[in-house]
Amino acid sequence: MKIKNIFQEITLITKAIQYQRVEFALIEEGEIKKNFNPYDYRQIKVLAEFNSPSKKQYLIPAFWFRPTTIYFTNSDEQPKGISGYASIDENEVQGLETVELNGQDHYRVRFNPYESGKWHVNFLVFINEKIIEKYEQDFYVEASKEKPKGIIRIDKTNNCNFVDNNDKTFIPIGMNTAWYTSTTRKSRDYDVWFLKMKANQMNCCRIWLAPWGFALHWAKFDNFDERFDALARLDRTLELAEENDIYFMMTLLNHGQFCYKSNPQWIRNSWNVVNGGILTSPREFFEKEEAKIIYKNQLLYLIARYSYSFNIMAWELFNEVDHIEEYDEELFTLWHQEMAAFIKNHDPYHHLVTTSYKYVDGKGNSLSEIDFVNPHSYSYDNMNLNVELPKIQEQLFKKYHKPVFHSEVGIDWRSGGGTYQLDRSGIAVKQAIWAGIMGGGAGSAMNWWWDSYINRYHLYHLFTGAAKFALGLEMKGNYNLLQNQKQIVINNKNIKLIGYMFDNRIYGYLFNKKWVYYKLKNIEEVLDLEIVIPFSNGKYTISLYDTNSGEIVSKYLLQNEENQIKLSIKTIIKDIAFIIN
């Protein structure tokens, strides 16, 4: 192909506004596709070099793109479940979603400017990793009227929690929404889920690049042309998350893709040599250099297409990687280190990076490239999560000195329907939320069964109280866990306390240990509860909160002159939360 004047047109196709997606289209005559694989950044790469008004520089690779139109029409077709439960609720939007591919393939560049004013961008064209051409232009970015929360980061004052880009505490409260489950409405599932989540103050979820959903490589391991429909739906889902102020972990790979027995999909995996791939076994994905190079191309593509978004809370390298039958702890940990480092070297916005294992821990958590611990556990059957979850969180934090955020938790790993039969009112769900927030975790422990449990049985309300309460928590600084303070005295052995004691404030959550999903008749009302907490003298405001609504039910001033605070509660059946400041 000609190696001069490749692009006939480079156009800014969006408004250029601070903290919003800025997008360029780079149009050529179709020669790139004839001569190169545009998903192989070794063959051909377009790198955008953005220079800000304050002389900061950001490097963003371009990504190969095909225009699409997503239609949603009325339909009498009965939805079926895609690895899950398909809702037929008449109170929810129902219909048929289709994606039409239209227009010419071309490169796009997406960028999120942190500064307003005059920017300069150079578009550098590499062929066989050598620069052969350069295009440049100026553009102006309009100042934003407000400053968003931005990228989520680690709170460096304690390494226990998250903060947003404005250095404000960010407490993720949500559930999994790993893939759309309806064969008809498809990505419209997220319209339903996200709207209900927002209405209940939820701000976090988890989305997989699953083969039956958003995976890039499920048709071909090194070419994503046949996945433009999936990418269009992922674009739309990410935009919905932004509209509803929901952050999410993007789970890049699920274990089943490389498994023979556990949710087995290896036989259909495009990396498998029998399907035209280059791997004779799943293990080779982690050890073969060519496989790692090709997968890094996919990571670059994802960074190019999606890193602009503040609402990606974290890149999750793998879901439960140790389910893979050929799992080798040393080899797989080295792979995690290499891929996490690659992302950190190429993501200009520095999103967090994590991974997960089938139980609460794995060797990858010890890597400096892994930013927070992401436990999974369904071992809480016949347990009070308010009692047990804080123990795990404290254990993991002491081991790694990183935030601990459970992204999967439950009482039954088998099904949402089975979970409902065990816990119809969602007691364990509520306990996981509060224990996650108040028991040493960085956020609510997230229920897995979003489609067949939370949404099907209308349990979103369980999140409301905790989400509202969390808005009043400022977690910056060092604190002590209330559950470890031996000097605290409670006048009833059935009432337990978890929470945080700072130098000038206390955040507490009281619960009845007999309040459990498996013995509903076991709970008794506790009257005239008294809690004595050693604390420095001063004048304090005490606020008691209803844990269902998140509203203050009692508020009063207290002058502490005895180096202890006495908290009196007339009655408690299940739980109550409080703030002293």
Side-chain angles (χ1 to χ4, degrees):
M1 70 174 286
K2 62 182 181 181
I3 58 172
K4 292 294 182 182
N5 303 317
I6 294 174
F7 298 113
Q8 282 69 57
E9 183 181 347
I10 298 179
T11 306
L12 177 61
I13 61 172
T14 60
K15 284 187 175 182
I17 301 175
Q18 185 183 18
Y19 305 126
Q20 295 184 26
R21 186 177 84 196
V22 171
E23 189 158 344
F24 290 85
L26 290 73
I27 307 300
E28 49 89 37
E29 295 179 343
E31 294 296 317
I32 290 176
K33 199 69 176 292
K34 292 178 184 177
N35 292 275
F36 303 102
N37 175 3
Y39 306 102
D40 187 339
Y41 287 91
R42 296 169 299 175
Q43 292 184 27
I44 184 166
K45 176 173 69 175
V46 179
L47 189 65
E49 181 185 83
F50 288 94
N51 296 282
S52 78
S54 67
K55 310 303 181 185
K56 293 180 181 177
Q57 189 175 88
Y58 302 83
L59 298 176
I60 309 282
F63 63 94
W64 198 243
F65 178 84
R66 183 177 299 171
T68 59
T69 304
I70 301 180
Y71 297 100
F72 192 66
T73 56
N74 293 328
S75 173
D76 294 328
E77 182 179 339
Q78 189 75 1
K80 297 177 182 178
I82 303 174
S83 293
Y85 174 77
S87 174
I88 55 173
D89 190 334
E90 294 180 353
N91 296 313
E92 297 175 357
V93 61
Q94 300 291 346
L96 181 66
E97 181 184 88
T98 55
V99 177
E100 180 182 284
L101 306 180
N102 45 49
Q104 177 185 337
D105 292 10
H106 60 275
Y107 277 116
R108 289 279 177 98
V109 171
R110 289 177 177 170
F111 179 61
N112 197 328
Y114 282 16
E115 299 177 34
S116 60
K118 182 181 178 180
W119 285 73
H120 182 80
V121 57
N122 298 313
F123 297 98
L124 309 175
V125 181
F126 295 76
I127 291 179
N128 297 324
E129 301 183 324
K130 293 181 180 180
I131 295 178
I132 59 98
E133 203 163 45
K134 174 182 174 181
Y135 302 80
E136 57 184 305
Q137 61 178 263
D138 294 329
F139 64 100
Y140 289 84
V141 173
E142 178 184 334
S144 174
K145 295 179 181 178
E146 58 185 32
K147 190 174 183 180
K149 289 196 288 287
I151 298 292
I152 302 305
R153 308 195 187 283
I154 305 300
D155 183 349
K156 295 302 183 182
T157 66
N158 54 37
N159 284 334
C160 302
N161 300 96
F162 301 116
V163 292
D164 63 26
N165 209 48
N166 302 314
D167 211 28
K168 300 293 185 183
T169 295
F170 176 79
I171 299 176
I173 297 174
M175 64 180 186
N176 283 271
T177 56
W179 55 82
Y180 54 79
T181 57
S182 172
T183 54
T184 53
R185 69 184 188 190
K186 295 192 174 175
S187 76
R188 256 60 182 190
D189 275 352
Y190 286 96
D191 293 64
V192 173
W193 302 334
F194 285 175
L195 189 64
K196 293 178 182 180
M197 289 172 69
K198 184 177 182 179
N200 289 278
Q201 313 289 314
M202 299 161 70
N203 63 2
C204 186
C205 68
R206 184 163 168 257
I207 297 175
W208 286 19
L209 303 190
W212 51 89
F214 300 127
L216 276 66
H217 60 254
W218 207 242
K220 294 181 180 179
F221 69 97
D222 61 351
N223 186 302
F224 313 136
D225 278 358
E226 295 178 47
R227 300 294 290 171
F228 278 130
D229 56 346
L231 287 163
R233 289 188 168 105
L234 182 55
D235 285 0
R236 183 178 184 277
T237 301
L238 190 149
E239 290 165 6
L240 282 171
E242 294 171 345
E243 291 170 12
N244 290 282
D245 198 20
I246 293 172
Y247 283 77
F248 67 93
M249 283 192 274
M250 183 182 284
T251 307
L252 306 182
L253 293 164
N254 63 297
H255 61 278
Q257 297 183 40
F258 300 93
C259 284
Y260 299 107
K261 296 179 181 179
S262 180
N263 309 116
Q265 297 165 297
W266 173 246
I267 194 171
R268 298 190 300 278
N269 194 326
S270 66
W271 283 93
N272 191 329
V273 68
V274 302
N275 301 315
I278 61 170
L279 306 180
T280 59
S281 72
R283 179 188 173 93
E284 289 185 345
F285 181 75
F286 300 89
E287 65 181 357
K288 195 170 183 176
E289 285 304 315
E290 182 66 10
K292 289 190 284 185
I293 290 170
I294 293 171
Y295 185 64
K296 286 176 182 176
N297 281 327
Q298 184 172 151
L299 293 179
L300 274 180
Y301 187 94
L302 290 167
I303 289 168
R305 190 157 183 154
Y306 298 114
S307 70
Y308 78 87
S309 179
F310 297 147
N311 289 68
I312 294 177
M313 178 182 166
W315 309 105
E316 183 182 16
L317 289 170
F318 240 102
N319 172 75
E320 299 184 358
V321 65
D322 52 338
H323 266 305
I324 298 172
E325 290 83 7
E326 295 181 359
Y327 179 71
D328 178 315
E329 182 178 70
E330 188 68 25
L331 174 65
F332 283 42
T333 301
L334 288 172
W335 180 92
H336 273 76
Q337 185 174 37
E338 183 174 346
M339 297 304 156
F342 183 85
I343 290 174
K344 288 179 176 293
N345 287 335
H346 290 86
D347 177 359
Y349 306 101
H350 309 296
H351 295 81
L352 300 175
V353 178
T354 189
T355 194
S356 64
Y357 295 85
K358 61 185 177 183
Y359 299 119
V360 297
D361 200 2
K363 189 174 181 180
N365 290 324
S366 64
L367 297 171
S368 61
E369 293 84 359
I370 297 299
D371 293 305
F372 63 92
V373 185
N374 175 14
H376 291 187
S377 179
Y378 294 83
S379 300
Y380 295 107
D381 50 310
N382 296 326
M383 293 183 184
N384 187 320
L385 275 80
N386 283 330
V387 174
E388 301 302 327
L389 198 64
K391 297 176 185 177
I392 300 298
Q393 291 171 162
E394 184 177 7
Q395 169 191 329
L396 290 171
F397 179 75
K398 285 182 176 179
K399 185 175 181 180
Y400 297 112
H401 298 285
K402 299 177 182 181
V404 179
F405 179 36
H406 280 75
S407 71
E408 284 190 36
V409 70
I411 57 174
D412 186 348
W413 61 270
R414 292 165 295 187
S415 72
T419 300
Y420 177 70
Q421 294 303 318
L422 294 171
D423 186 12
R424 291 180 177 241
S425 62
I427 291 172
V429 175
K430 184 180 178 183
Q431 288 179 345
I433 297 166
W434 281 94
I437 295 168
M438 300 299 288
S444 72
M446 298 208 297
N447 186 272
W448 172 252
W449 304 110
W450 71 96
D451 55 322
S452 55
Y453 185 40
I454 301 296
N455 189 71
R456 185 178 185 180
Y457 297 108
H458 313 293
L459 297 176
Y460 292 92
H461 64 90
L462 296 169
F463 298 83
T464 309
K468 287 184 177 179
F469 179 78
L471 295 176
L473 304 184
E474 175 49 71
M475 297 301 296
K476 293 185 68 179
N478 294 317
Y479 53 74
N480 294 309
L481 295 171
L482 291 178
Q483 56 267 35
N484 293 341
Q485 305 309 300
K486 305 300 184 184
Q487 308 93 325
I488 294 176
V489 177
I490 302 175
N491 70 344
N492 189 294
K493 64 181 182 179
N494 290 325
I495 302 300
K496 300 298 177 183
L497 173 64
I498 58 176
Y500 310 99
M501 180 187 291
F502 293 82
D503 289 341
N504 62 351
R505 61 198 187 278
I506 299 173
Y507 304 135
Y509 175 72
L510 292 156
F511 63 92
N512 192 327
K513 71 176 185 179
K514 290 189 174 183
W515 173 48
V516 288
Y517 74 89
Y518 53 90
K519 289 183 180 178
L520 294 177
K521 297 180 181 180
N522 199 36
I523 191 168
E524 298 175 354
E525 182 179 16
V526 174
L527 301 174
D528 300 319
L529 182 68
E530 290 189 355
I531 306 99
V532 179
I533 305 174
F535 206 54
S536 56
N537 288 337
K539 189 175 183 179
Y540 297 96
T541 299
I542 298 179
S543 302
L544 301 180
Y545 289 79
D546 182 302
T547 60
N548 294 317
S549 68
E551 302 295 331
I552 295 175
V553 294
S554 178
K555 185 174 183 178
Y556 58 94
L557 296 176
L558 176 70
Q559 182 68 47
N560 177 22
E561 297 177 349
E562 300 176 352
N563 288 312
Q564 62 183 21
I565 288 178
K566 295 180 180 179
L567 193 61
S568 299
I569 299 174
K570 291 182 180 180
T571 178
I572 178 174
I573 299 176
K574 299 175 182 176
D575 61 349
I576 194 166
F578 64 86
I579 292 178
I580 300 173
N581 56 21

